[in-house]
Amino acid sequence: MVKIMKSICSTLLVITLLVLQSGCSMFVGSRQDFSVSSNLPDAQILINGEFIGNGNVKTTVPRNRSVSVMVKKDGYYPVTRDIGTKMSTLGVLDIIGGCIFLLPFIGLAFPGSQELDISSVSLILQPAAK
C-alpha cells in the first residue's frame, strides 16, 4: 500500500513539474485587443478587408498574424497601415526557460508567443484633390 502511495505521489509530482515547466505562452489567449481611430467619425474602418465600424473602433484580432488596417471615406484618400507581429515577452521567457529546462520551448508553438507590433493605430484622412 505504501509503495502504491509513493508511486502515485511521484507521478503527481512529475506531472505538476511538467505543467509548471511548460511554456507560459500556451496559457495566453490567441487574440489581443486592437483599436483604430480616425480623424473623421464617419470614416469606414476595415481590418484585413472586413468592415469593423466607423470612426473609432475597438476589437480583438489574432495575436500571431499581421493585420492590415484601411480607413476610407468618399471624397478622401484612403489610408492603409500594415501592422506586423513580434515575439512577446512570454515568448522570450519561453526561450530562456527552454534553454534551461527544454519543455518551455513548447510555448513557442502557441499564439501567445507573439503579439502585434502595436495595439492601437490612429489614421488621418486627407481630402482628395478635386
Side-chain angles (χ1 to χ4, degrees), residues 1-8:
M1 182 72 163
V2 173
K3 247 183 174 180
I4 294 173
M5 291 300 289
K6 283 185 180 182
S7 176
I8 291 172

Side-chain angles (χ1 to χ4, degrees), residues 28-46:
V28 175
S30 62
R31 300 180 70 80
Q32 80 176 69
D33 293 337
F34 187 69
S35 61
V36 181
S37 62
S38 170
N39 61 322
L40 302 173
D42 55 345
Q44 295 180 344
I45 297 175
L46 294 92

Side-chain angles (χ1 to χ4, degrees), residues 17-95:
L17 288 174
L18 287 175
V19 169
L20 292 175
Q21 297 297 325
S22 61
C24 299
S25 299
M26 69 186 345
F27 300 108
V28 175
S30 62
R31 300 180 70 80
Q32 80 176 69
D33 293 337
F34 187 69
S35 61
V36 181
S37 62
S38 170
N39 61 322
L40 302 173
D42 55 345
Q44 295 180 344
I45 297 175
L46 294 92
I47 296 180
N48 294 333
E50 180 183 336
F51 176 75
I52 302 298
N54 293 318
N56 300 315
V57 297
K58 291 181 180 180
T59 187
T60 61
V61 295
R63 66 173 48 251
N64 61 339
R65 291 190 207 132
S66 296
V67 172
S68 179
V69 179
M70 176 186 266
V71 177
K72 65 181 184 175
K73 181 181 174 179
D74 289 339
Y76 291 81
Y77 292 112
V79 178
T80 303
R81 177 96 185 262
D82 293 323
I83 313 298
T85 61
K86 64 181 179 182
M87 182 73 64
S88 70
T89 302
L90 290 177
V92 172
L93 291 174
D94 285 343
I95 289 173

